[in-house]
Amino acid sequence: NAGVTQTPKFRILKIGQSMTLQCTQDMNHNYMYWYRQDPGMGLKLIYYSVGAGITDKGEVPNGYNVSRSTTEDFPLRLELAAPSQTSVYFCASSRTLGDQTFGSGTRLTVV
Amino acid sequence: GENVEQHPSTLSVQEGDSAVIKCTYSDSASNYFPWYKQELGKRPQLIIDIRSNVGEKKDQRIAVTLNKTAKHFSLHITETQPEDSAVYFCAANANTGNQFYFGTGTSLTVIP
């Protein structure tokens, strides 16, 4: 099992550009999450999903969108990138509540 | 929403000593409290968790205690080793069950 796979690992965006961060898990987990981690800070939940076709906002959803068309995939879309979105983004999944498995992260810089 | 506070932000201990990290939470409906270890440049990894129906849980050198009345929980690491050096995060779920709120992290340094 690959676990949770995130792509790309690094990306530099210009202000106003858009991009999609990919997240795929092969563990048949129902729950999937997107977090951002700013330097020296904890993780903040952006969006989460409890199953295919269901998504909900987390603590910091503004400027982002998600979709969950399959159990395996949970892409995060950034529209009109801003410098405030410079961060490390982690995707995670879990079978039920708890024991989240994290991907290796995407380091995004908006200039 | 939930508010999770974590202390201290940095902690240095001698190898072999114990380390204690404390977190408080605000939502009395929270019922799941995980702890994560994150090494520099790596992903967070779950090291131990506790649910609200349990007061204490141990796994070898690591233990977590929960005081629901006071709304705080703590991570205890005994016989610390240099490889325990990392940033540790506590978290709590919100009353909806599926949203997680993280503390700001504790950077633990174990001095050989």
Side-chain angles (χ1 to χ4, degrees), chain A residues 31 37 97 99-100 102-103, chain B residues 32 38 43 46 51 97-98:
Chain A
Y31 294 72
Q37 184 176 33
L97 178 66
D99 195 5
Q100 294 178 51
F102 284 81
Chain B
Y32 176 68
Q38 187 177 31
R43 71 192 78 186
L46 181 75
R51 298 184 187 271
N98 302 310

Side-chain angles (χ1 to χ4, degrees), chain A residues 39-109:
Chain A
M41 300 295 290
L43 290 86
K44 291 191 181 294
L45 183 64
I46 305 171
Y47 271 94
Y48 67 100
S49 169
V50 300
I54 306 170
T55 62
D56 281 293
K57 294 179 180 180
E59 188 180 1
V60 290
N62 291 346
Y64 307 93
N65 278 298
V66 293
S67 60
R68 184 95 183 270
S69 57
T70 66
T71 299
E72 295 78 21
D73 300 308
F74 191 41
L76 177 71
R77 178 81 177 163
L78 278 72
E79 304 282 359
L80 299 174
S84 60
Q85 293 178 304
T86 293
S87 191
V88 179
Y89 291 83
F90 286 101
C91 179
S93 73
S94 63
R95 186 175 58 84
T96 58
L97 178 66
D99 195 5
Q100 294 178 51
T101 299
F102 284 81
S104 57
T106 295
R107 188 174 296 274
L108 175 67
T109 302

Side-chain angles (χ1 to χ4, degrees), chain B residues 1-94:
Chain B
E2 173 72 280
N3 182 41
V4 177
E5 295 189 357
Q6 184 172 346
H7 300 280
S9 57
T10 60
L11 180 60
S12 292
V13 299
Q14 291 291 135
E15 183 177 358
D17 287 350
S18 295
V20 180
I21 303 170
K22 299 181 179 181
C23 288
T24 62
Y25 62 98
S26 60
D27 187 349
S28 57
S30 296
N31 61 3
Y32 176 68
F33 308 90
W35 285 90
Y36 291 87
K37 176 183 180 182
Q38 187 177 31
E39 297 175 350
L40 189 63
K42 299 292 182 67
R43 71 192 78 186
Q45 291 193 301
L46 181 75
I47 55 171
I48 196 167
D49 56 12
I50 191 167
R51 298 184 187 271
S52 60
N53 59 346
V54 176
E56 182 176 0
K57 183 177 178 180
K58 291 185 71 173
D59 183 3
Q60 299 183 346
R61 298 186 296 109
I62 295 174
V64 56
T65 59
L66 172 64
N67 183 325
K68 288 193 299 181
T69 302
K71 288 189 279 190
H72 68 70
F73 56 112
S74 299
L75 177 71
H76 304 254
I77 306 174
T78 59
E79 301 173 21
T80 54
Q81 302 168 1
E83 51 265 38
D84 294 330
S85 296
V87 178
Y88 292 81
F89 293 98
C90 63
N93 66 331

Side-chain angles (χ1 to χ4, degrees), chain A residues 22-40:
Chain A
Q22 302 291 344
C23 177
T24 299
Q25 52 93 7
D26 62 359
M27 298 172 285
N28 201 33
H29 284 172
N30 289 324
Y31 294 72
M32 295 189 75
Y33 307 83
W34 273 107
Y35 294 93
R36 60 176 287 171
Q37 184 176 33
D38 297 330

